[in-house]
């Protein structure tokens, strides 16, 4: 059994507290901004004028006078704390959900090599309920009007008699309406939490009984989660991320955002497994297991790049204003984060992890795992911030909020995952493929 070391526990608590302190300072600075300061920020963002020229149909809805623009800018500025929290929460909820998906694939495929790290995957997946609760809190804040991350929730936009009436959102209101949205979020969180509980329970029972019937149940429930994840990961990408820009849509978005968290999940599994190995608690984990995990890290990084480029290239080449605007905003205001993230998420994994021998190097692979998680955090930053905060992100309070939210989520993630490990038997001795995993050797 794993014992959560006091030193690592202390580090996780320090991260949580530091994150909360930074977030609190950023929140106070953000909400201390008055109309005069926000007007100055508008002028700086729009080239010395407080009037922003609309570039798409979403910005043409409603009044176009100074007061209307100031109201919109004020909502964007005060969105920053919630956008920062959504960025970190979606990343780590996605990591835990993808870890369970990755584990379920191993069970469904009767894969032998991965049995040694099965409990690591279960521990990483244990963050699902915690991440889900944070997303539920954000949902409540948005539904009650405290946060304004999803402007389609404004009932005036779907009221034909309102001056703010938006015909596009009106047509989408059968799906984008608050009651149905809340029901979907509950399905995602409760459903994923149920599956992680059920699969962990069956895995623990299999250790006790070593019965083929229990192994078959584990297989069946894993297949069930794969089916659930296929639906839910698509739908929560729409609901939590793509509806931030409700006039825009992409048929590749669900795969793009899912692979981003899948790559990060593999990175998290590597970090936990290597930590246990270095502590002498998982001696069965060897270079061959590390090599295969590194292969998945390499493959998912390239798959993410393929999806990123396909989505960007097809829309940009078409040059249709309603489609290009998504990327135009990011080139215009997020040029320091949008394209540079390709270096971390694509170029470094391609150059470093292409070699089979390097995939067996613990220091190199763990370093790349950390970089991949940071790179995809930046990816989620680029998904969330442009549509919620707009051009008002290049300042000190945004840095405090974004870094604070990330440190808080990292600390909470480490605390929950390592606590879950203390309740798990590190080697799943009841799995009939355990011997195959112990003697597994990759020949190349």
């Amino acid at each position: 059994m794993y014992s959560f070391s006091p030193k690592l526990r202390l580090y996780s608590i320090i991260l949580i507290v530091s994150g909360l302190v930074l977030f609190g300072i950023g929140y106070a600075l953000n909400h201390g901004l008055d109309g005069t300061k926000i007007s100055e920020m508008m002028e700086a963002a729009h080239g010395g004028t407080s009037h922003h020229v609309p570039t798409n149909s979403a910005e043409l809805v409603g009044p176009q006078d100074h007061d209307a623009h100031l109201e919109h800018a004020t909502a964007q500025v005060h969105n920053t704390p919630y956008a920062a929290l959504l960025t970190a929460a979606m990343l780590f909820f996605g990591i835990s959900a993808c870890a369970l998906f990755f584990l379920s694939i191993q069970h469904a495929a009767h894969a032998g090599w991965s049995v040694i790290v099965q409990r690591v995957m279960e521990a990483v997946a244990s963050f699902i309920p915690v991440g889900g609760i944070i997303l539920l809190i954000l949902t409540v804040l948005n539904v009650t009007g405290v946060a304004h991350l999803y402007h389609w929730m404004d009932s005036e936009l779907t009221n034909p008699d309102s001056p703010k009436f938006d015909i596009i959102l009106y047509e989408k209101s059968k799906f984008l309406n608050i009651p149905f949205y809340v029901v979907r979020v509950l399905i995602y969180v409760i459903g994923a939490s149920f599956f992680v509980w059920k699969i962990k329970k069956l895995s623990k029972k299999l250790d006790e009984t070593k019965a083929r019937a229990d192994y078959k149940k584990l297989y069946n429930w894993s297949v069930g989660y794969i089916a659930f994840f296929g639906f839910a990961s698509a739908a929560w990408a729409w609901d939590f991320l793509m509806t931030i820009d409700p006039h825009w849509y992409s048929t590749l978005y669900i795969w793009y955002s899912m692979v981003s968290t899948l790559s990060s999940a593999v990175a998290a599994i590597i970090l936990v497994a290597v930590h246990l190995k270095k502590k002498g608690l998982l001696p069965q984990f060897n270079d061959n297991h590390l090599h295969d995990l590194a292969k998945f890290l390499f493959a998912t990084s390239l798959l993410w790049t393929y999806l990123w480029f396909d989505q960007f290239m097809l829309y940009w080449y078409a040059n249709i204003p309603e489609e290009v605007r998504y990327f135009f905003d990011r080139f215009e205001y997020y040029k320091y984060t949008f394209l540079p993230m390709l270096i971390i998420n694509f170029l470094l994994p391609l150059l470093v992890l292409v070699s089979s021998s390097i995939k067996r190097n613990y220091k190199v692979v763990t370093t790349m795992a950390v970089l991949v998680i940071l790179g995809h955090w930046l990816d989620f930053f680029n998904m969330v911030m442009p549509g919620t905060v707009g051009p008002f992100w290049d300042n000190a309070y945004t840095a405090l909020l974004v870094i604070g939210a990330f440190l808080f989520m990292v600390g909470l993630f480490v605390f929950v995952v390592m606590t879950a490990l203390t309740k798990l038997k590190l080697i799943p001795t009841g799995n009939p493929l355990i011997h195959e995993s112990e003697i597994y050797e990759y020949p190349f």
Side-chain angles (χ1 to χ4, degrees), residues 90 93 97-98 175 184 188 226-243 250-259 261:
M90 271 305 298
F93 177 78
C98 282
F175 183 81
R184 293 196 301 272
Y188 310 149
I226 292 172
F228 171 82
F229 181 84
F231 150 76
S233 64
W236 72 49
W238 294 332
D239 284 334
F240 289 122
L241 298 171
M242 197 165 72
T243 61
S250 165
T251 54
L252 277 174
Y253 195 89
I254 56 176
W255 308 109
Y256 165 70
S257 59
M258 186 276 285
V259 172
T261 49

Side-chain angles (χ1 to χ4, degrees), residues 172-444:
K172 294 184 177 183
S173 61
K174 291 182 178 61
F175 183 81
L176 291 181
N177 61 81
I178 290 176
F180 191 27
Y181 177 82
V182 172
V183 169
R184 293 196 301 272
V185 172
L186 289 172
I187 290 173
Y188 310 149
V189 174
I190 295 173
S193 299
F194 169 77
F195 273 105
V196 71
W197 168 79
K198 186 68 176 179
I199 289 174
K200 286 175 62 178
K201 181 181 178 182
L202 287 171
S203 178
K204 184 178 181 181
K205 184 181 179 183
L206 183 61
D207 279 350
E208 298 169 355
T209 65
K210 296 181 173 61
R212 289 300 175 93
D214 290 326
Y215 181 69
K216 185 177 180 180
K217 288 179 182 178
L218 183 60
Y219 167 85
N220 290 336
W221 280 100
S222 297
V223 172
Y225 179 71
I226 292 172
F228 171 82
F229 181 84
F231 150 76
S233 64
W236 72 49
W238 294 332
D239 284 334
F240 289 122
L241 298 171
M242 197 165 72
T243 61
I244 288 173
D245 301 277
H247 275 230
W248 177 86
Y249 68 92
S250 165
T251 54
L252 277 174
Y253 195 89
I254 56 176
W255 308 109
Y256 165 70
S257 59
M258 186 276 285
V259 172
S260 185
T261 49
L262 179 59
S263 187
S264 302
V266 175
I269 293 166
I270 289 172
L271 292 174
V272 177
V274 172
H275 168 73
L276 295 176
K277 172 73 172 180
K278 294 299 183 182
K279 292 294 182 181
L281 300 172
L282 198 62
Q284 297 87 345
F285 181 81
N286 58 44
D287 297 356
N288 299 290
H289 302 105
L290 179 68
H291 177 275
D292 274 23
L293 286 171
K295 279 198 306 183
F296 279 104
L297 185 64
F298 176 73
T300 53
S301 296
L302 295 191
L303 178 58
W304 174 87
T305 309
Y306 166 76
L307 293 169
W308 183 94
F309 179 73
D310 264 12
Q311 181 173 261
F312 165 72
M313 182 270 292
L314 292 173
Y315 277 119
W316 195 258
Y317 183 78
N319 199 27
I320 300 172
E322 285 305 316
E323 298 175 345
V324 173
R325 64 159 296 267
Y326 181 86
F327 299 99
F328 176 82
D329 291 346
R330 284 153 178 80
F331 278 128
E332 183 75 10
Y333 303 117
Y334 289 77
K335 56 187 176 184
Y336 299 116
T337 62
F338 186 58
L339 288 178
M341 73 176 174
L342 290 173
I343 298 173
I344 306 174
N345 292 337
F346 165 60
L347 191 59
L348 290 179
L350 175 65
L351 296 178
V352 175
L353 295 177
V354 70
S355 167
S356 185
S357 60
I358 288 180
K359 293 187 183 77
R360 300 173 186 274
N361 187 307
Y362 284 82
K363 288 185 179 179
V364 172
V365 173
T366 52
T367 300
M368 286 307 307
V370 171
L371 289 175
V372 163
I373 291 173
L374 291 174
H376 288 292
W377 170 53
L378 191 59
D379 184 21
F380 271 76
F381 176 89
N382 287 315
M383 289 189 216
V384 173
M385 300 297 282
T388 55
V389 177
F392 309 112
W393 70 278
D394 190 10
N395 47 63
Y397 68 78
T398 300
L400 290 171
L401 288 166
V402 171
I403 295 172
F406 181 70
L407 292 179
F408 168 75
M409 292 300 297
V410 170
L412 187 61
F413 182 78
V414 171
F415 188 88
V416 171
V417 169
M418 293 307 173
T419 301
L421 271 178
T422 63
K423 302 174 183 178
L424 297 170
K425 188 178 178 181
L426 290 183
I427 302 298
T429 53
N431 193 303
L433 301 173
I434 181 63
H435 181 63
E436 179 182 338
S437 187
E438 289 174 334
I439 65 172
Y440 173 70
E441 182 177 352
Y442 189 80
F444 302 106

